[in-house]
Amino acid sequence: MGETVVRGGRIWRGPGQGLETADVLVRDGVIAEVGPGLDAADGAARIDVAGRIVLPGLVESHCHLDKTLYGGPWVPHSAGEPLAERIANDRDRRGELGIPDVDRITALLERMVASGTSYVRTHTDVDPEAGLRGVEAVRAAAERLEGRITVEQVAFPQHGVLVNPGTAELLEEALKGGVRTLGGIDPAGFDRDPVGQLDLLFELAARYGAGIDVHLHDGGTLGAFEFELIIERTEAAGLGGRVAISHGYALPQIDAAHRERLVERLAAAGVSLVTGAVYDFPVPPVKRLRAAGANVACGHDGIRDLWGPFGSGDMLERAMHLAYRSTFRRDEDIELALEAATFGGARLLGLPAYGIVPGAPADLVAVDAETPAAAVVTHPPRELVMTGGRVVVRDGEPVA
Amino acid sequence: MGETVVRGGRIWRGPGQGLETADVLVRDGVIAEVGPGLDAADGAARIDVAGRIVLPGLVESHCHLDKTLYGGPWVPHSAGEPLAERIANDRDRRGELGIPDVDRITALLERMVASGTSYVRTHTDVDPEAGLRGVEAVRAAAERLEGRITVEQVAFPQHGVLVNPGTAELLEEALKGGVRTLGGIDPAGFDRDPVGQLDLLFELAARYGAGIDVHLHDGGTLGAFEFELIIERTEAAGLGGRVAISHGYALPQIDAAHRERLVERLAAAGVSLVTGAVYDFPVPPVKRLRAAGANVACGHDGIRDLWGPFGSGDMLERAMHLAYRSTFRRDEDIELALEAATFGGARLLGLPAYGIVPGAPADLVAVDAETPAAAVVTHPPRELVMTGGRVVVRDGEPVA
């Protein structure tokens, strides 16, 4: 790839760190140097982003690529409100609509690339009905976009583990086939046996060296109890940094003293919280979690699928939703939402190097905004997007 | 102005009404005919919007133009969370930032025009400190945009009525000067005397033939009690259709049976509810209110001001927030949010004629979306905006 220098941007290194005007020297897809007055070897590319804010590549930490209808015709939502009805609707209409669809997944990934996302964690349905077709479809789409976006799949038992015989075997199959993270879903409320589901997941994770990311919608004290079960197992297995709870509606619902204890324990155990701030559902206490040292990441959840028609794939817009629902008004608070869509996601995914620093992959996004908080509020067009040193968006237009 | 024909659009007439492909014949700023195969007199303008959805001009039903910093440099939010601190911050920094600023207000109104808004209700601070400067500044900006957007001001006692001596006299002054709607604010929680503030407002309203629109953040049973006081006074004064409660956080907070009674009474009394679905604050039960026949309108609340940095001025985006926070997934539900941003606002403002129907002012917006719900979800660029028969946006670009 040779050398490229991205000149004159204002580099963002994380919340409260301010901005540093600097050039970024990229060599062979990796950031070689960051500082003033850098230049590249003769014949190298020079990209001027004078005055633009330069963010590290955005991280989508929770979505469902396999379910998406993105880029196809509008499909009016057809399910009722109860969860069971929405699950049945999803099952019934998948065949009719040809889901999972590699072209739809590709269209959404292209949209993500264009909006500056470099890394994606996606929860892919794995169950006796779908088998591993979702995993294969997502893999096929990700291969089409290779070098432009990195996709990590979670083998996700959407329809339960214990209540859906054959699912555990398929989860193991997925791990054997290269999937590196196991999903779970409401071990109590859905699977009816919290200890049973979690023991099964942690046992599999230990055997295959996998991480874990559990969908936890269960609310109040029941959900809080499951937080504790997950924390206990994470500590026992030494899986700190490899385990996450997605949604975690219970955390903002329980009383303040109980919440405070859980926040401290999440931080100590190295269990991340992943939120999308979706619809009207509870949003975790991002500021408190970060102050305690617990990791917070952010994602869309479903994007244009049988579960709901919303979602754009733009992680700056998603960070806006998180900041807005958190009633963050001050720049330093809004930056916490941006952190969840960047560094928080990178920690969730365990990326070995990340950020606008020497040695990290050259994943960066330049936007016209006065401050990082303003970039979240206005989520303006991406003027430049670079992934692994490759320019994928230039002057706001995708580069083929 | 002569004749213009807008051809081939798919006309939206309200929730659940479907779309009708038709031409719209505009004569002298008014819709003359709607139907298939229409043509204008020779030499008249023809605008092709084949396949686009045509909405009536959008209605912004609750904002604070006088406070805005829109179009100027980013001002990081500087207030703490408590209401008293935010009010003090607003007071302290207005002078420093030159608020109200006719240029800023004009910039925001231009943004609203470009996004298809034809009508605006704005709550303008009126108090002994600001006097009527806000009212004059908004009026000056509105005059600059005359013929492109219609602005209705509410004389708004942001800092209380009874607790802020001199305010009542200024509210009356505003009415004498042509303002047609009186605002109020938390008659109990802020002004400490709900009956006192409301009696004063309703007495003034009766004397000047004014309408009323009260900011009601007071929650739970206290706020619900104030709902009742407002409903009782509206009925006693025969002001049905001229009174609104903005925000009304109490309604979703009280128990279901109590809420049901209030919803029925709001409908019977002709009291509108205005919501922005802002931040994480409670959202009224839009679907239930509409089913009962109560009117619901929608607005941004503050846009880029000392109260918070969010808000774009785009009412399709705002309708998205309302639909999203309402957990509306089905097209017919999402259309209720669109109704609040169109017909609901028109009813709030008491517009004598509105919609894509003969006899209404030719205010219309064409967007590229498959369904009205999709227009809310994606809030795409406005391809054509016409206000009172004048083309203000064409091919997505503002027309000077």
Side-chain angles (χ1 to χ4, degrees):
Chain A
M1 285 186 173
E3 291 195 345
T4 305
V5 64
V6 178
R7 301 174 88 167
R10 294 182 296 142
I11 313 292
W12 184 68
R13 296 189 193 283
Q17 312 263 319
L19 294 168
E20 178 198 347
T21 296
D23 307 320
V24 180
L25 178 63
V26 174
R27 187 178 298 133
D28 299 328
V30 175
I31 295 174
E33 273 186 83
V34 182
L38 296 181
D39 210 343
D42 284 349
R46 285 171 182 78
I47 301 174
D48 182 32
V49 292
R52 302 299 184 250
I53 290 181
V54 177
L55 307 170
L58 304 173
V59 184
E60 163 64 69
S61 290
H62 185 117
C63 65
H64 295 271
L65 292 177
D66 61 316
K67 298 187 203 287
T68 196
L69 301 161
Y70 196 87
W74 179 259
V75 177
H77 188 68
S78 50
E81 193 46 43
L83 182 63
E85 210 176 303
R86 288 190 285 135
I87 289 174
N89 177 70
D90 179 50
R91 275 186 155 154
D92 294 347
R93 299 203 60 198
R94 283 179 156 243
E96 168 203 341
L97 292 162
I99 301 298
D101 180 322
V102 179
D103 290 337
R104 298 278 157 265
I105 300 168
T106 304
L108 178 50
L109 283 171
E110 282 170 348
R111 166 67 184 140
M112 289 174 166
V113 167
S115 66
T117 296
S118 306
Y119 301 91
V120 177
R121 168 174 284 189
T122 184
H123 294 252
T124 308
D125 282 14
V126 166
D127 61 61
E129 212 162 322
L132 296 176
R133 283 191 300 121
V135 173
E136 288 150 17
V138 170
R139 192 172 285 150
E143 276 168 10
R144 292 189 190 167
L145 277 289
E146 208 181 329
R148 292 193 280 159
I149 193 163
T150 302
V151 178
E152 187 221 72
Q153 294 198 64
V154 180
F156 174 50
Q158 170 78 70
H159 304 298
V161 183
L162 306 178
V163 296
N164 202 4
T167 301
E169 292 75 6
L170 281 160
L171 292 176
E172 184 165 0
E173 203 68 34
L175 294 177
K176 284 182 184 161
V179 169
R180 306 262 301 130
T181 310
L182 272 177
I185 184 166
D186 291 330
F190 196 95
D191 231 6
R192 320 306 302 164
D193 180 353
V195 167
Q197 185 189 113
L198 291 172
D199 280 351
L200 189 153
L201 294 179
F202 275 86
E203 188 277 324
L204 269 179
R207 202 133 47 81
Y208 288 88
I212 290 177
D213 188 336
V214 180
H215 277 65
L216 194 53
H217 315 88
D218 284 341
T221 52
L222 175 62
F225 174 64
E226 295 172 272
F227 266 76
E228 291 165 5
L229 294 180
I230 291 168
I231 290 166
E232 289 161 9
R233 280 159 184 71
T234 302
E235 286 173 334
L239 271 177
R242 309 271 323 267
V243 175
I245 294 171
S246 280
H247 307 316
Y249 298 151
L251 197 58
Q253 292 176 331
I254 54 179
D255 69 72
H258 193 177
R259 177 164 51 249
E260 194 58 24
R261 284 199 304 279
L262 274 191
V263 165
E264 295 290 348
R265 291 193 64 190
L266 286 167
V271 174
S272 291
L273 204 59
V274 188
T275 181
V278 296
Y279 295 104
D280 203 36
F281 300 124
V283 179
V286 174
K287 194 170 177 175
R288 182 63 200 108
L289 283 160
R290 292 301 299 134
N295 188 43
V296 178
C298 178
H300 277 77
D301 204 358
I303 298 172
R304 198 70 69 80
D305 61 27
L306 288 169
W307 294 75
F310 291 93
S312 69
D314 176 0
M315 282 306 299
L316 279 185
E317 185 184 355
R318 184 49 39 191
M320 176 279 287
H321 280 282
L322 178 54
Y324 197 63
R325 286 291 307 287
S326 301
T327 323
F328 288 161
R329 294 183 172 97
R330 302 175 74 101
D331 273 39
E332 64 262 35
D333 293 340
I334 295 170
E335 283 190 51
L336 296 178
L338 184 56
E339 183 193 32
T342 52
F343 294 94
R347 285 189 288 264
L348 176 81
L349 296 180
L351 301 182
Y354 180 80
I356 313 294
V357 289
D363 306 319
L364 55 84
V365 187
V367 291
D368 184 8
E370 288 172 80
T371 71
V376 171
V377 166
T378 64
H379 41 91
R382 306 313 112 92
E383 299 196 357
L384 172 74
V385 176
M386 182 183 276
T387 309
R390 178 203 297 233
V391 174
V392 293
V393 173
R394 177 117 190 221
D395 300 327
E397 297 297 329
V399 175
Chain B
M1 283 187 175
E3 291 194 344
T4 304
V5 63
V6 179
R7 301 174 88 165
R10 293 182 296 142
I11 313 291
W12 185 69
R13 297 189 194 283
Q17 311 264 318
L19 294 168
E20 179 198 346
T21 297
D23 307 320
V24 181
L25 178 63
V26 175
R27 188 179 298 134
D28 298 330
V30 174
I31 295 174
E33 274 186 81
V34 182
L38 295 182
D39 210 343
D42 282 352
R46 285 171 182 78
I47 301 174
D48 181 32
V49 293
R52 302 301 183 246
I53 290 182
V54 177
L55 308 169
L58 305 173
V59 185
E60 162 63 69
S61 290
H62 185 118
C63 66
H64 295 271
L65 293 177
D66 61 315
K67 299 186 204 284
T68 195
L69 301 161
Y70 196 87
W74 179 259
V75 177
H77 188 68
S78 48
E81 193 45 42
L83 182 63
E85 209 176 303
R86 286 190 288 135
I87 290 174
N89 177 69
D90 179 50
R91 275 186 154 153
D92 293 348
R93 299 203 59 198
R94 281 178 157 243
E96 169 202 339
L97 292 162
I99 301 298
D101 181 320
V102 179
D103 290 337
R104 297 278 156 265
I105 299 168
T106 303
L108 178 50
L109 283 171
E110 282 171 346
R111 166 67 183 140
M112 289 173 167
V113 168
S115 67
T117 296
S118 306
Y119 301 92
V120 177
R121 169 174 283 188
T122 183
H123 293 252
T124 308
D125 282 14
V126 166
D127 62 60
E129 213 162 320
L132 297 176
R133 284 190 299 121
V135 174
E136 289 150 16
V138 170
R139 192 171 284 151
E143 277 168 10
R144 290 188 190 168
L145 276 288
E146 209 180 329
R148 292 194 279 159
I149 192 164
T150 301
V151 178
E152 188 222 71
Q153 294 199 62
V154 179
F156 174 50
Q158 170 78 71
H159 304 299
V161 183
L162 307 177
V163 297
N164 202 5
T167 300
E169 292 76 5
L170 280 161
L171 292 177
E172 186 166 359
E173 203 70 35
L175 294 176
K176 284 182 183 160
V179 169
R180 306 261 303 130
T181 309
L182 272 177
I185 184 165
D186 291 328
F190 197 95
D191 231 8
R192 319 307 302 162
D193 180 355
V195 167
Q197 183 189 115
L198 291 172
D199 280 351
L200 189 153
L201 295 179
F202 276 86
E203 189 277 324
L204 268 178
R207 202 132 49 81
Y208 288 87
I212 290 177
D213 188 336
V214 180
H215 277 66
L216 193 55
H217 316 86
D218 284 341
T221 52
L222 175 62
F225 175 65
E226 295 172 272
F227 266 77
E228 291 166 4
L229 294 179
I230 291 168
I231 289 167
E232 289 160 10
R233 280 157 183 72
T234 301
E235 287 174 334
L239 271 178
R242 310 270 324 267
V243 175
I245 294 171
S246 280
H247 307 316
Y249 297 151
L251 197 58
Q253 292 175 331
I254 55 180
D255 69 71
H258 192 178
R259 176 163 53 248
E260 195 58 24
R261 285 199 303 279
L262 273 190
V263 165
E264 295 290 347
R265 291 194 65 190
L266 286 166
V271 174
S272 292
L273 203 60
V274 188
T275 181
V278 296
Y279 295 105
D280 203 35
F281 299 125
V283 179
V286 174
K287 193 169 179 177
R288 182 64 202 108
L289 283 159
R290 292 301 298 133
N295 188 43
V296 178
C298 178
H300 276 78
D301 205 1
I303 299 171
R304 198 70 70 80
D305 61 27
L306 288 169
W307 294 74
F310 290 93
S312 69
D314 176 359
M315 282 306 298
L316 279 185
E317 184 184 355
R318 184 48 42 190
M320 176 278 287
H321 280 282
L322 177 55
Y324 198 63
R325 286 292 307 287
S326 300
T327 323
F328 288 161
R329 294 183 171 97
R330 301 174 75 100
D331 273 39
E332 64 264 33
D333 294 340
I334 295 170
E335 283 191 50
L336 296 178
L338 184 56
E339 183 192 32
T342 52
F343 293 94
R347 286 189 287 263
L348 176 81
L349 297 180
L351 301 182
Y354 180 81
I356 314 294
V357 290
D363 306 318
L364 55 83
V365 187
V367 291
D368 184 8
E370 289 172 80
T371 72
V376 171
V377 167
T378 64
H379 42 89
R382 305 315 111 92
E383 298 196 357
L384 172 73
V385 177
M386 182 184 277
T387 310
R390 179 202 295 233
V391 174
V392 294
V393 173
R394 178 118 190 218
D395 300 327
E397 296 297 329
V399 175

